[in-house]
Amino acid sequence: MRSSSTASLLRAAWLNGIAGIPSPLILLLEPSERCNARCPFCYHWREAGPGELELDEILRVLEEAWELGCRFLYLSGGEPTLHPDRLEILAAARRFGYEISMTTNGSRLTEELPRLAPLLDALTVSIDRLGIEQDRLRGVPGLFASAVDGLLLASKLGLSSRINMNLYEANLGEVRGMAELARSVGAGLHVRLLTRESSALDIPAFELPRAMEAASMLLDLRRELPGALLTPEPYLFLLSRGKPFRCRPLSLLLPVDAQGRVYLACPRHEGTKDRVAGNVREASLSDIWTSAAAWRFREEAASCRPGVDCYSSCILDVSLLAGLSGASIAAQLLERGLLGFFRGER
């Protein structure tokens, strides 16, 4: 991790954990919900519609988030390669000085990467199944081959990359094969257990006992294949034992969706967007971040007992860092914790 990134991480963790001042470090920006896939465990494409942020509004979000302290940009969606202003957004973020990671389904990478790669620090490609099963799962013929070709091109262009694998019962036996695929294309592998956002859809979430078994299996795989699995050890350790943690939303992570909503990134609420701190079209990010609604959500989370649906890296890792967990901070500085795998470090 760069020295400036380390300093930003430690400062944000100290402000959140000691001073009690919510200080964001990561801007999670979803410029569009539009997507060419129909993943059964994702709600984003179901939200796609009119009224998305205009380019000038997105650029203002980048500026205001930087002023608040964000130094990492996690560009997601929807499918970000479909956004008409993707190059302008990334170029502006680069000018501010963000370290930038983009998540994509990989369908358009071979045509997009020559232009996008110079504007990215890291790339995440979502692949959940091997071969044609990936095409069937996400409803895009040829998707698996396109994603693999895109990862090979990323490696050729010198861009750090990872595969993000959403784990559920049907693909649990494919983790080792996915790790081998990641190695063959010069990428790392991050595994994320599917949680409550999938519970009302076609793919059920793991119940806690089974999730604990899966996390234990992943811990063993981390030891067996060093460097292959990027899923942070503190996350897997806590989940494998079902240990509770204090959730700290709207601390290190600042989520802004395509409609301009600063929402609670909680698997119990984000799919319905029934916990919104404010809208960037109506107030500045600074005012939203310090609003009564934002503070109420933080206070509610302090008394909320996390369930298995809360053991996702973007929630657990952020919460551990904001709570000054020594093990989690060590994972950031010494190996490849949350910020490391956002950047694709291996």
Side-chain angles (χ1 to χ4, degrees):
M1 189 181 294
R2 301 171 190 171
S3 58
S4 59
S5 303
T6 301
S8 298
L9 165 66
L10 294 175
R11 177 181 180 275
W14 184 87
L15 285 171
N16 282 280
I18 298 297
I21 302 172
S23 178
L25 184 63
I26 305 161
L27 171 61
L28 169 58
L29 180 61
E30 301 160 358
S32 177
E33 305 290 358
R34 285 170 286 178
C35 192
N36 55 350
R38 293 295 180 264
C39 307
F41 47 78
C42 180
Y43 67 85
H44 291 286
W45 59 270
R46 301 166 194 269
E47 288 190 327
E52 294 185 342
L53 294 175
E54 300 291 339
L55 177 60
D56 63 328
E57 295 172 313
I58 292 172
L59 299 184
R60 178 167 55 82
V61 167
L62 290 173
E63 180 178 6
E64 293 182 1
W66 181 266
E67 291 172 353
L68 273 174
C70 289
R71 294 296 181 266
F72 289 80
L73 172 62
Y74 185 21
L75 193 70
S76 185
E79 172 51 45
T81 63
L82 293 174
H83 197 284
D85 300 315
R86 54 197 176 278
L87 291 174
E88 289 85 351
I89 294 169
L90 291 171
R94 178 64 81 216
R95 288 194 296 272
F96 279 112
Y98 284 98
E99 292 188 35
I100 308 167
S101 175
M102 185 184 76
T103 296
T104 171
N105 60 34
S107 60
R108 293 164 47 84
L109 278 180
T110 53
E111 58 189 280
E112 290 287 324
L113 268 186
R115 294 181 297 168
L116 293 177
L119 302 173
L120 296 171
D121 292 290
L123 177 74
T124 295
V125 181
S126 296
I127 305 178
D128 312 299
R129 302 296 306 268
L130 296 170
I132 196 171
E133 293 301 324
Q134 170 75 351
D135 304 356
R136 291 170 176 162
L137 176 69
R138 294 188 172 231
V140 181
L143 180 58
F144 179 77
S146 295
V148 171
D149 287 345
L151 284 163
L152 288 169
L153 178 57
S155 179
K156 182 179 179 180
L157 294 173
L159 181 61
S160 190
S161 63
R162 68 166 182 163
I163 292 173
N164 186 66
M165 181 183 189
N166 291 291
L167 194 66
Y168 60 108
E169 196 66 48
N171 67 351
L172 187 57
E174 298 180 25
V175 176
R176 182 179 296 275
M178 196 69 73
E180 293 170 354
L181 170 66
R183 278 186 164 181
S184 72
V185 296
L189 172 65
H190 175 254
V191 177
R192 168 183 174 267
L193 275 71
L194 279 181
T195 56
R196 189 182 295 265
E197 69 177 293
S198 65
S199 62
L201 303 176
D202 299 333
I203 299 176
F206 283 112
E207 297 296 332
L208 183 57
R210 188 60 169 156
M212 293 168 64
E213 292 176 6
S216 295
M217 182 200 77
L218 294 173
L219 278 171
D220 291 340
L221 189 62
R222 261 183 67 101
R223 301 183 189 104
E224 183 182 342
L225 301 174
L229 191 60
L230 305 185
T231 308
E233 188 168 9
Y235 159 58
L236 293 174
F237 178 82
L238 283 179
L239 179 52
S240 68
R241 287 157 176 77
K243 288 183 174 292
F245 66 95
R246 179 184 170 186
C247 182
R248 294 176 181 265
L250 297 179
S251 55
L252 291 173
L253 183 69
L254 197 171
V256 180
D257 76 0
Q259 308 298 324
R261 296 172 290 192
V262 177
Y263 64 91
L264 192 66
C266 165
R268 297 171 180 173
H269 299 287
E270 66 177 337
T272 56
K273 298 287 170 66
D274 62 353
R275 293 289 191 279
V276 175
N279 194 299
V280 298
R281 285 174 164 155
E282 301 165 359
S284 69
L285 269 181
S286 178
D287 287 344
I288 295 170
W289 189 253
T290 57
S291 67
W295 278 109
R296 185 172 71 253
F297 299 155
R298 296 179 185 118
E299 291 167 0
E300 288 175 356
S303 59
C304 179
R305 181 175 177 82
V308 64
D309 49 315
C310 303
Y311 288 86
S312 59
S313 296
C314 60
I315 296 171
L316 184 108
D317 278 4
V318 164
S319 297
L320 293 178
L321 278 173
L324 289 180
S325 159
S328 189
I329 289 177
Q332 305 300 323
L333 301 181
L334 302 178
E335 42 179 296
R336 63 183 77 70
L338 180 72
L339 301 185
F341 69 65
F342 272 17
R343 293 177 55 202
E345 289 178 350
R346 299 188 62 197

